[in-house]
Amino acid sequence: MNRKAYITLALAPLLLAACSSDADEPAPAAPQVPLSFSHSVEPALDSESSRATVIEQDDVESFRVYGALYENRHEFKGYMISGERVIPAKQDNTWVTEKLYYWPNQKDGLSFFAYSPDTVKGLEINDMDKDPRPSNEFTYEPPTDPKEQVDLLFAKTNPYAAINYGDQPGRRVELQFFHSLMQVYFEIRGDAKKLASITLKNVFKKGILTIQYNHRYWLDGNFENNRTSYTIDVPEDGILCDDHRLMIVPLQTPGDCLIEITFRDGTSKSIPFGHKFNNNDIGKVYRIILNV
């Protein structure tokens, strides 16, 4: 009897140790959930807009995305994603970064901004070390050649509501892009074959775009030597097409702005065009009628 009791007691510590060891093992790590996006584009500039470079929903081939990290969904800690190219992954409007990124741990969150096309000549992102609350700022100078100008789209999520879909595999960040520039085109009334070129002179060369979550506007930035001219060469048949439309920053024209018309006989005509346009013409079309 005593021996049996001794053996039973001796085994008890071993059983307790085994149970204790199982309880101390760390729980398996939650699987990492990759970030993905969906996109939409506000309607084209207007019903008269036919320019090939105007980007619509199905025209987006890729875009650049930036993801600001907020510790505890509040404290800005810099950009976890900085200018990664985003490409389509599936037919269902699922997009992913070329280099895969994953949601941070659940207590932290992200806010995003993006632009398209993914490569834009003349675009600068200002103050990348600054918290994007309340706004992001961009400096943009369109190419002088109208044929090289593009429709520049931006999107921004609410930075005051940092998100984390790490516990919702498959849920995508929704990015709604808007047209940030203004399209300008000329309508010639009369014998257009007489015209050799049309120049929009002394307009602002570049501007600063400020984007808040639900508001955006352009400023001239007080840059030195911030004037330029855009020239459209009129074909011999006098018919202007898509390549003859301008995509420029929507800033009010300075007081000395002019439209200069050059005729094929070597003469020219200047029309005052000061104090036209305004900073609320974002994404709009401006038609200039020329009577010749």
Side-chain angles (χ1 to χ4, degrees):
M1 292 290 297
N2 290 339
R3 189 178 180 209
K4 287 181 179 178
Y6 175 78
I7 293 172
T8 302
L9 293 171
L11 289 173
L14 296 175
L15 293 170
L16 289 171
C19 293
S20 175
S21 176
D22 290 343
D24 290 343
E25 286 185 5
Q32 287 186 300
V33 176
L35 279 87
S36 61
F37 303 86
S38 66
H39 86 291
S40 60
V41 179
E42 69 179 12
L45 301 177
D46 80 355
S47 59
E48 296 185 43
S49 175
S50 62
R51 183 172 179 176
T53 50
V54 172
I55 301 173
E56 298 183 5
Q57 176 81 20
D58 295 335
D59 299 325
V60 176
E61 298 178 351
S62 60
F63 54 88
R64 297 275 174 190
V65 71
Y66 294 74
L69 177 64
Y70 291 91
E71 191 174 81
N72 297 317
R73 312 281 179 106
H74 177 71
E75 184 181 355
F76 175 63
K77 303 299 287 185
Y79 281 88
M80 188 182 94
I81 305 173
S82 185
E84 279 293 326
R85 187 169 181 260
V86 181
I87 55 176
K90 297 180 182 178
Q91 294 289 332
D92 65 349
N93 195 21
T94 296
W95 298 65
V96 296
T97 50
E98 285 187 318
K99 172 189 173 183
L100 210 55
Y101 282 84
Y102 299 88
W103 287 104
N105 56 57
Q106 200 59 37
K107 68 182 181 65
D108 301 329
L110 295 167
S111 72
F112 300 89
F113 75 82
Y115 65 83
S116 184
D118 64 52
T119 302
V120 182
K121 181 181 178 181
L123 177 65
E124 298 176 12
I125 303 172
N126 304 339
D127 299 325
M128 278 297 295
D129 57 343
K130 188 183 77 171
D131 188 339
R133 297 172 298 189
S135 61
N136 294 98
E137 287 187 353
F138 307 86
T139 300
Y140 181 56
E141 180 181 338
T144 304
D145 185 349
K147 292 188 291 294
E148 296 180 5
Q149 294 170 356
V150 298
D151 186 12
L152 179 55
L153 305 182
F154 283 97
K156 182 180 175 72
T157 64
N158 186 353
Y160 294 101
I163 56 177
N164 191 322
Y165 298 157
D167 59 346
Q168 303 175 64
R171 183 171 180 181
R172 301 166 295 185
V173 178
E174 297 178 2
L175 296 174
Q176 178 163 11
F177 287 89
F178 66 89
H179 303 270
S180 66
L181 302 176
M182 173 179 62
Q183 184 178 149
V184 177
Y185 74 98
F186 297 94
E187 180 180 312
I188 304 173
R189 295 183 178 178
D191 188 358
K193 295 179 182 179
K194 294 180 178 179
L195 276 63
S197 65
I198 305 167
T199 301
L200 186 59
K201 299 186 70 172
N202 296 328
V203 293
F204 286 113
K205 180 163 55 176
K206 59 183 176 180
I208 295 176
L209 173 63
T210 298
I211 303 177
Q212 299 173 346
Y213 170 57
N214 55 2
H215 184 56
R216 56 258 191 179
Y217 56 90
W218 284 90
L219 296 173
D220 62 43
N222 294 317
F223 298 109
E224 292 185 7
N225 303 316
N226 190 22
R227 299 292 188 89
T228 193
S229 298
Y230 300 112
T231 297
I232 291 171
D233 294 321
V234 180
E236 290 186 0
D237 60 9
I239 299 174
L240 301 181
C241 61
D242 289 346
D243 285 343
H244 301 112
R245 295 186 176 222
L246 305 177
M247 301 289 283
I248 61 177
V249 294
L251 291 169
Q252 187 178 73
T253 56
D256 59 350
C257 178
L258 299 170
I259 295 174
E260 185 173 87
I261 303 171
T262 301
F263 295 90
R264 296 196 183 278
D265 63 6
T267 61
S268 62
K269 174 183 178 182
S270 293
I271 304 170
F273 201 71
H275 308 298
K276 307 293 184 181
F277 311 150
N278 63 68
N279 296 2
N280 296 317
D281 285 337
I282 293 174
K284 295 182 180 180
V285 172
Y286 198 104
R287 179 179 62 170
I288 301 174
I289 298 174
L290 300 177
N291 294 294
V292 296

